[in-house]
Amino acid sequence: MPEQVVQQKTRGFICINAHPGGCAKAVESQIDHILASRPGGVSGPASALVIGASTGYGLASRVALAFGFKAKTLGLFFEKPPSAKRTATAGWYNSAAFERRAREAGLYAASLNGDAYSDELKHAAADRIRRDMGKVDIVIYSLASPRRVNPRTGETLASALKPIGQSYSGKTIDLGSGEVTTATVEPATEDEIRQTVAVMGGEDWRWWIDLLLEQELLAPGARTLAYSYIGPQLTWPIYRNGTIGRAKQDLERTAGDLDRRLAEQIGGGAWVSVNKAVVTQASSAIPVVPLYISLLFRVMKERGTHEGCIEQMRRLCFEHLAEGQAPAVDADRLIRLDDLEMDPDVQAEVERLWPLVSTGNLDEISDFAGLKRDFNQLFGFDVPGVDYAAPVETVIPIEGIEL
Ligand code: NAD
């Protein structure tokens, strides 16, 4: 494939291409962050299955486990490979870069690209674990998807980002134009609630763990974690009290059930980690949240407490998952990596700014510039040190995955 100049193409809150060099650099800097901040003499899980491993929190989990603990990783994701006409999706290039660095470091890394909700991918992952890894010590469940086909019923389920019970009107940013507008979202129907819980709730996580237990692919003491978000009250109508919040409550209940079974059968455990709000492809799609994030980033950066995915996953690994550590939890048995976000001073300042923010003062009182940079970087653009005028090879393989 001849090299080509790749310029960013966006549509609404999504970018429809990706820059391989920029994605690689962004992954490299996550790896370098972990290598530089890794405490001496620390050890942890030796082998990991990461479901949703190509972007956002799943990618950062994989980086932190592999380069923090030298863990073997099997990463699962649903990405588009490159073709003669199109670049790959960002998660493809991220995973190619991750695997390259892992191999250079002598670490086992394998990836499977396909639908993690399907039985087919579950069995392919189980076979790969049995063949190459023996058993896994940790399973990270970090899927974020608008859709799921339930393999047992064939039903296609769609997740909705809607309030429950009444419509919600609130400030939001149009990520394309940078305008602060009012979004009005009508309440979800009962069926939309059911479908969102089926996509983003705990059922599929449970089925993964059922299969791994059944096939004896979890090592003694193995742990599993899924991720959630709570956030401040100003996002609750659309998040915590909305359809996605229902799904997260289901995920949290599932953690309780899985924890009991894993404890009983293999001396292991299951937890939900509540992570901080960050810019990812998933969070960019939620109304209200990107505007909240712009204000939050400004306030947290001023205080020096700002974190992205990799800083969060570094804390998760080294403060909760290292050898000899039990995850620290709150009264609801949740790991709270959102502690710095939920700091009362931080939240009071965001609450003070929220009614004031408008299109006119967005750049002045919020970190919209930081949000946009993070958004562009998700797709490999706006990454320092990358020459975007230079032609690049876009057909990049991930070793072990056929194009
Ligand atoms: P993301 O969009 O960056 O990543 C989603 C991952 O899931 C990607 O690797 C993607 O390839 C994979 N995926 C999607 N559908 C798939 C399928 N059918 N089969 C296989 N892989 C599939 O999302 P994210 O923001 O990192 O979200 C991950 C988790 O973290 C979610 O549970 C989310 O709710 C949670 N979380 C996110 C935030 C935030 O601010 N972004 C905060 C707290 C918790």
Side-chain angles (χ1 to χ4, degrees), residues 51-59 76-79 91 112-118 121 141-148 200 226-230 239 244 248 251 273-284 286 289 293 309 341 378:
I51 305 165
S54 54
T55 56
Y57 274 122
L59 171 66
L76 270 46
F77 43 78
F78 208 9
E79 300 292 344
L112 294 173
N113 188 33
D115 180 8
Y117 295 122
S118 70
L121 203 76
Y141 188 84
S142 187
L143 292 184
S145 173
R147 255 174 310 283
R148 168 182 176 218
M200 291 297 289
Y227 300 143
S228 185
Y229 181 66
I230 294 179
Y239 201 97
I244 183 75
K248 292 300 185 190
L251 194 75
S273 171
V274 180
N275 300 344
K276 167 186 186 284
V278 291
V279 181
T280 65
Q281 295 184 43
S283 69
S284 305
I286 307 174
V289 167
I293 287 180
C309 289
E341 170 181 355
L378 294 178

Side-chain angles (χ1 to χ4, degrees), residues 66-67 69-72 98-99 101-109:
F67 289 88
F69 296 137
K70 300 190 167 66
K72 294 179 177 183
F98 172 86
E99 286 214 12
R101 273 288 292 266
R103 221 151 267 128
E104 281 167 18
L107 298 171
Y108 172 89

Side-chain angles (χ1 to χ4, degrees), residues 318-354:
F318 299 141
E319 294 172 17
H320 299 269
L321 300 176
E323 188 77 46
Q325 284 174 348
V329 293
D330 70 5
D332 297 316
R333 234 190 130 261
L334 299 167
I335 300 171
R336 300 302 296 264
L337 295 180
D338 63 343
D339 51 350
L340 300 174
E341 170 181 355
M342 299 315 290
D343 176 273
D345 279 357
V346 167
Q347 287 303 324
E349 183 58 7
V350 172
E351 235 172 79
R352 187 184 73 77
L353 294 171
W354 184 257

